[in-house]
Amino acid sequence: MTETQEKQKKYMKFSEIITFGVGLFGVALMTGWMPDYTATFFADFAFKGKGFDSDAMSSAITLVFGVAGVVGAVCELVIGYLVDRTHTRFGKVKPWVGFGVIPLAIISLLVFIAPNTNSQTVAIIWMFVVYCLYTAVSCAVESPSNCFGSLCSPNPGERSTAISIASFLRSVGQSGGMVVVMVVGLLMKVLMGKQQYQNAEGQGLDLVISTAVCALGLIIFVMIFFVNNKERVPFTQEKISIKDSIKVVFGNKNLLMVSLTKLCGFGRGVYGTVSLYIAIYLLGSKDLKLALLLPMGIGTALGTLLVNFVLKKFSTKKTYIMFCIYGATTLAILYLVSSSVGFNSTLIVPFLIINFFCGIQHGNTNTTPNIMIADCVDEIEYKTGKRQDGIAYAGYGLFSKIASALTKSLGPWLLYKWSGYMVSQDANVAYASQTDSTLNRLLMIYTIIPAVFVLLQMVPIFFYDNVGLKKATITAALAERRAANKAEAPDSPAEDAGEAAAE
């Protein structure tokens, strides 16, 4: 098969591209909002009125997310290794996603059900156990679901389109969870009355109900993906040792460079730690968190589609770098405009408009690395003869989890220590008032600090070279190799690709 024929050949039905995205939407509906709301639940609601030492609890929360990040990093490697050793009639990725959603739904709900205890030690142990368990289970579903992008089609162009559209729907899902929180709050207010709702909100009951709704959505949407989608890139039959798996993670230069973007840019995610507080203190209401993040979410979703358009004209390398420069610039503009307008009602409109443009850069970080990793998997298969999708995405996930651990440690430290944030001590008042200095630092955590890390994350990509002629040569060589393998063994898993193309 010639390179041109491989580029033109289509393997996926349009419905599969959509349901791939629907599956990622369901996963993001659950996992997209959990970390940030878990932080505020632990700090503001779980043990309110128990008289625990606030400094000790703040330090414990910071450590919880740090330890959970390490647990997640280890789980990424273990799960990636196991995915590559999973050979079933469903494929190697789908079983992890399809059969993992119910445990994920259950443990997600348990995160927001705190024990009624007067022991601060018991409270801290519970936070460590429940959130580390959530992190491990979410890895077993989220990482394989992302990995499916490299298996959906042998055609790099079709694969890139599928990943872009799926990333778009995943971005919508990340905002969807916050929509659920808002709608649940509105319904509770109508059904319970304002005063009873405030009491329930003060105990975090709205988060429990919202989690149950998102957990149900997770199960339904992932099942739609599970039933309709196929893995079309044949897995190799060779046994893959742990040593070979580790070599993939750290030995392939291009994969390592993509993974290092997460580590170099770990601080870009600290904005999520303060997004709720930006809505409360700078824009005036907790309910405005959706209004705050929805424009960013729309921008992110639009960004994923824009990335797909840009990739038709530029390489993944150039696309990534251009979006990083754009993202840092918009965040700096948001800070300057907000500082000039001041923290009052006149800030809302310009803040939300610029926030939309800030969100566009997230479309790049949500999409382009996944396309690059799929290209790296092809490069690894070209060099070694072994297709190691699971461990390649796990390697990226390893660095993502380390970065997340750093983010989740840095974010609470910036919020609860550096900014001078004051936690409410009144059981019937959710949030205490803050000083102007604290408000300005909250804004910096949302804008300037992430902007610096957005620039840092693009540095490794300058050393990435799986583009242009090199990428085209690998694609053509793999197509010829798979065709030869299919001719020699017509009953092998590679036959699925031929059957899919004929559908």
Side-chain angles (χ1 to χ4, degrees), residues 115-263:
N116 184 15
T117 178
N118 291 317
S119 170
Q120 186 163 338
T121 300
V122 171
I124 291 174
I125 291 174
W126 172 80
M127 290 191 296
F128 273 100
V129 171
V130 76
Y131 195 69
C132 286
L133 183 59
Y134 163 78
T135 301
V137 177
S138 64
C139 281
V141 175
E142 195 169 20
S143 182
S145 70
N146 292 330
C147 179
F148 183 80
S150 71
L151 295 164
C152 62
S153 172
N155 181 333
E158 184 178 42
R159 182 174 67 199
S160 297
T161 298
I163 291 174
S164 295
I165 293 175
S167 296
F168 166 78
L169 291 174
R170 178 175 56 192
S171 299
V172 175
Q174 290 172 336
S175 298
M178 289 176 285
V179 173
V180 171
V181 174
M182 184 195 71
V183 171
V184 167
L186 292 175
L187 290 176
M188 289 177 64
K189 190 177 295 184
V190 170
L191 295 174
M192 302 174 67
K194 184 176 180 180
Q195 185 57 52
Q196 284 188 315
Y197 167 69
Q198 287 181 344
N199 293 338
E201 180 191 31
Q203 300 304 314
L205 182 60
D206 57 329
L207 296 179
V208 176
I209 297 174
S210 299
T211 306
V213 173
C214 290
L216 179 61
L218 164 71
I219 296 171
I220 293 173
F221 292 123
V222 167
M223 286 302 103
I224 293 173
F225 155 78
F226 186 84
V227 170
N228 193 54
N229 287 80
K230 297 179 180 179
E231 297 178 16
R232 285 188 163 84
V233 178
F235 49 73
T236 55
Q237 299 294 334
E238 298 91 340
K239 291 290 185 180
I240 300 171
S241 67
I242 295 178
K243 180 181 178 181
D244 288 341
S245 297
I246 299 299
K247 187 182 295 185
V248 166
V249 174
F250 297 100
N252 181 272
K253 186 197 75 173
N254 286 318
L255 179 59
L256 184 60
M257 291 304 104
V258 178
S259 299
L260 284 175
T261 62
K262 299 299 293 185
L263 199 58

Side-chain angles (χ1 to χ4, degrees), residues 397-466:
L398 168 67
F399 284 88
S400 297
K401 287 297 185 294
I402 294 173
S404 179
L406 294 173
T407 301
K408 294 306 177 184
S409 296
L410 177 62
W413 181 84
L414 289 171
L415 172 60
Y416 299 116
K417 299 290 186 180
W418 180 70
S419 75
Y421 175 78
M422 299 297 295
V423 175
S424 172
Q425 300 300 319
D426 189 335
N428 295 317
V429 176
Y431 304 99
S433 60
Q434 309 295 329
T435 66
D436 289 341
S437 175
T438 294
L439 296 180
N440 185 64
R441 291 190 176 190
L442 292 179
L443 180 62
M444 292 181 67
I445 297 171
Y446 193 86
T447 57
I448 295 299
I449 294 175
V452 172
F453 283 95
V454 167
L455 291 177
L456 289 175
Q457 73 178 359
M458 75 178 180
V459 173
I461 296 302
F462 284 106
F463 302 95
Y464 178 89
D465 66 4
N466 193 5

Side-chain angles (χ1 to χ4, degrees), residues 99-115:
F99 299 127
V101 290
I102 292 179
L104 177 57
I106 293 172
I107 189 59
S108 297
L109 187 59
L110 292 177
V111 168
F112 294 107
I113 302 178

